Amino acid sequence: SMLDEIFTQKYEADSSDLDLLKKITRIYDHQDCAQSDLFAKASESFYKIEPSANAACNLGKLFEVQNRYDKAAYYYKQAAELETDKITRSAYYYKLSVIAEQQGEHQLCRTHALKAIELNPSFGDPYLIIGIAYAMASSNCGSNAFERGSIFWAAVDMFIKAKNTDPGLTEKADEYI
């Protein structure tokens, strides 16, 4: 892109120029250029110099959009550790649970979702993702149909908890049930 042409040389000349990094990340953010390698590089350089929960969250989103889940998880974890607000921290742990589930890490998904619930007990979405994790894991759990079926009941329990916690999730939870 034209933006890349303008800024790549400047970035490569001095990737630790904080003013330049701020300018690049601000312009690219407004242009919604999440696929740009330069935006990713500049954002990471900026984060190394000035780490913050917000910058880490932005990097998490950036790498999530690029389907680079290991990097996305790394930055959401940083965001969760740097964030002081419980509700926002809860949202970061939920993001981590979603990424873990996308990668088939059912146990890790559950761990992060439980942390999200602990930080924000009125957050229903983590219950949904735990239910999904249980349902997805059921094929690997249990030695017979009965045991595998009981995992589905655990999933249904989570879907019910989700809609009891947040009535706005009723339709989605009922669909899963």
Side-chain angles (χ1 to χ4, degrees):
S1 75
M2 202 166 82
L3 280 177
D4 287 345
E5 283 174 36
I6 294 167
F7 287 112
T8 299
Q9 258 182 327
K10 290 180 181 181
Y11 173 80
E12 285 170 359
D14 187 3
S15 65
S16 62
D17 176 347
L18 198 55
D19 289 334
L20 175 66
L21 295 173
K22 284 180 181 174
K23 186 185 283 183
I24 292 171
T25 53
R26 191 175 55 244
I27 291 170
Y28 274 75
D29 199 28
H30 289 306
Q31 295 295 320
D32 205 21
C33 299
Q35 298 297 337
S36 163
D37 279 343
L38 180 63
F39 181 44
K41 284 182 199 167
S43 297
E44 283 194 290
S45 297
F46 186 17
Y47 178 78
K48 281 181 186 123
I49 298 167
E50 263 186 28
S52 71
N54 195 43
C57 172
N58 288 339
L59 281 159
K61 282 183 203 162
L62 175 74
F63 290 117
E64 190 178 5
V65 167
Q66 294 180 354
N67 299 325
R68 293 167 71 185
Y69 296 120
D70 288 345
K71 276 200 159 206
Y74 171 79
Y75 283 109
Y76 281 130
K77 188 98 174 98
Q78 297 299 309
E81 286 168 14
L82 291 165
E83 183 57 58
T84 53
D85 178 71
K86 275 185 169 183
I87 303 299
T88 308
R89 279 185 76 201
S90 173
Y92 295 149
Y93 277 106
Y94 173 68
K95 276 287 197 193
L96 283 164
S97 70
V98 171
I99 289 171
E101 186 52 38
Q102 283 173 324
Q103 295 185 297
E105 302 268 353
H106 310 304
Q107 204 56 47
L108 187 59
C109 168
R110 181 176 175 268
T111 302
H112 290 315
L114 289 173
K115 185 75 179 165
I117 292 164
E118 181 190 317
L119 289 162
N120 181 5
S122 63
F123 192 9
D125 292 282
Y127 289 112
L128 279 183
I129 199 75
I130 293 171
I132 291 166
Y134 284 172
M136 299 307 283
S138 68
S139 58
N140 312 328
C141 296
S143 55
N144 58 47
F146 176 77
E147 287 176 10
R148 284 190 289 277
S150 62
I151 304 282
F152 274 110
W153 287 115
V156 169
D157 282 346
M158 287 298 137
F159 298 141
I160 291 168
K161 272 189 179 175
K163 64 183 188 175
N164 289 344
T165 305
D166 178 356
L169 296 174
T170 300
E171 197 176 315
K172 196 184 266 186
D174 286 344
E175 220 172 276
Y176 286 126
I177 292 169

